[in-house]
Amino acid sequence: MTGDARIVALGGGHGLYASLTALRGLTPELTAIVTVADDGGSSGRLRSELGIVPPGDLRMALSALCADNDWGRTWRDVLQWRFATDGPLNGHALGNLLIAALWERNGDVVDGLAWVASLLQAHGRVLPLSADPLEVTALVRDDAGLREVVGQVAVATAHGSIEQLRLSPADPVVPRETVDAIDAADLVVLGPGSWYTSVLTHFMVRPVGDALVRAGQRSVLVLNVGHDDEETAGTGRADDLRALQRMAPDFVPHTVLVDAEHRDEPGLADAVATWGARLLVAPVRDGRGASAHDPEALRRELAHVAFEHGLTVRGAERGVAG
């Protein structure tokens, strides 16, 4: 293939930040598609007060793509700056306020994000999963039985196992650019991140879920590292796969990437083989003990997958596993 690879990464929060940090620089044709269900903190307050898509995860994605120079890093830090006051500004990230102002001024979610990307001289673009704020509701089972939990923060921190998930509105407005980006992608990277509220939510928005099914054999699914995610406490990576399969039975990725520490997790290899996908095992966990991916290690493995697909990526040749 000639030309730069078109890569799309989907997720939210710190998981998407990690994958974008790994992918930036591999190609100038990089797009982040970000879930918009957050209802906590500064994002939740702006969402409630202004009726807007929560800007926080979008801000994080934009910050991950900032230019690697003084200009880009300075504006990244300004976007991430949080006020600490005794008044109503306390806890607000300046970037959230800036994004909200652009949306109110321009009346267009995608256009507002493009202006912030331009300010950061970003290595790519950021798009929302939907133009409507989403509310996540889950049925969670614990020792006391089955209960309904409403809201992204509540679902992400609920004790028990999630048995069912739904979104409101059920059929949100999806920007044409979001679906077009997936359809045009040479490689789609899904995950890591909070499995139910940042990863599986993409399949619940029908136009995006359908596009992901079409992109199956151009996709790599990055499984989480560590064991301390409250959303999936007491479960394993094979359980994460089964949850995705129940939600999107027609989706089959080309590759499932798992950290070497999970290599022998019961049922994982069989689940991937039965699914019809390839299991790629590599040491991608942050060596400092954090339950997070090492961006350089993740970059190496994603570049390896891109090369296998015959794609052109930049500056990764010496770091690619043989």
Side-chain angles (χ1 to χ4, degrees):
M1 174 183 172
T2 59
D4 294 301
R6 293 164 297 189
I7 301 179
V8 171
L10 298 95
H14 294 286
L16 181 60
Y17 191 95
S19 61
L20 292 175
T21 302
L23 290 165
R24 53 170 289 148
L26 289 181
T27 176
E29 298 293 329
L30 177 59
T31 300
I33 296 176
V34 186
T35 188
V36 288
D38 190 12
D39 60 353
S42 171
S43 278
R45 289 158 60 192
L46 290 171
R47 169 182 177 158
S48 176
E49 185 172 344
L50 301 176
I52 60 173
V53 166
D57 284 354
L58 295 157
R59 182 198 81 245
M60 286 278 290
L62 286 160
S63 297
L65 297 177
C66 75
D68 190 22
N69 55 34
D70 285 343
W71 178 275
R73 288 188 293 268
T74 297
W75 280 109
R76 174 201 63 195
D77 293 346
V78 169
L79 249 66
Q80 299 285 57
W81 189 269
R82 286 192 184 274
F83 295 99
T85 77
D86 294 326
L89 270 179
N90 185 54
H92 272 306
L94 190 145
N96 290 352
L97 301 175
L98 175 63
I99 292 168
L102 281 163
W103 287 344
E104 189 164 299
R105 176 185 183 275
N106 297 1
D108 187 286
V109 173
V110 172
D111 183 61
L113 295 172
W115 276 101
V116 181
S118 178
L119 175 66
L120 290 164
Q121 299 176 354
H123 294 278
R125 62 176 176 162
V126 173
L127 299 171
L129 171 60
S130 81
D132 295 321
L134 301 173
E135 182 178 74
V136 180
T137 301
L139 291 180
V140 179
R141 186 175 297 279
D142 58 16
D143 293 340
L146 199 63
R147 72 186 192 281
E148 185 177 78
V149 179
V150 180
Q152 185 270 333
V153 172
V155 172
T157 57
H159 295 290
S161 59
I162 297 174
E163 295 196 355
Q164 185 179 328
L165 206 65
R166 69 174 182 268
L167 290 181
S168 178
D171 294 303
V173 174
V174 176
R176 184 71 246 174
E177 294 91 339
T178 298
V179 175
D180 287 347
I182 299 172
D183 283 336
D186 300 305
L187 186 69
V188 173
V189 178
L190 186 64
S194 298
W195 200 248
Y196 287 89
T197 56
S198 290
V199 178
L200 298 191
T201 46
H202 290 83
F203 290 94
M204 301 177 67
V205 176
R206 185 182 297 275
V208 174
D210 290 346
L212 287 171
V213 170
R214 294 192 294 270
Q217 287 308 295
R218 295 177 277 123
S219 299
V220 54
L221 181 66
V222 182
L223 299 184
N224 289 332
V225 298
H227 302 275
D228 58 354
D229 185 352
E230 289 184 78
E231 275 191 6
T232 52
T235 63
R237 302 296 83 93
D239 297 303
D240 293 346
L241 295 187
R242 295 185 190 104
L244 194 162
Q245 290 166 341
R246 288 193 298 271
M247 182 168 292
D250 295 327
F251 174 74
V252 181
H254 179 274
T255 299
V256 176
L257 173 59
V258 63
D259 179 60
E261 290 189 15
H262 295 289
R263 178 195 304 270
D264 298 322
E265 200 168 284
L268 178 60
D270 287 342
V272 173
T274 301
W275 203 9
R278 179 190 65 146
L279 180 63
L280 175 60
V281 179
V284 291
R285 180 172 176 159
D286 190 319
R288 294 169 295 183
S291 292
H293 286 78
D294 178 337
E296 286 302 317
L298 185 57
R299 172 187 173 90
R300 180 183 65 245
E301 299 307 323
L302 292 175
H304 181 60
V305 173
F307 281 133
E308 288 182 327
H309 282 259
L311 304 179
T312 300
V313 293
R314 300 181 178 187
E317 288 80 0
R318 287 186 295 175
V320 175

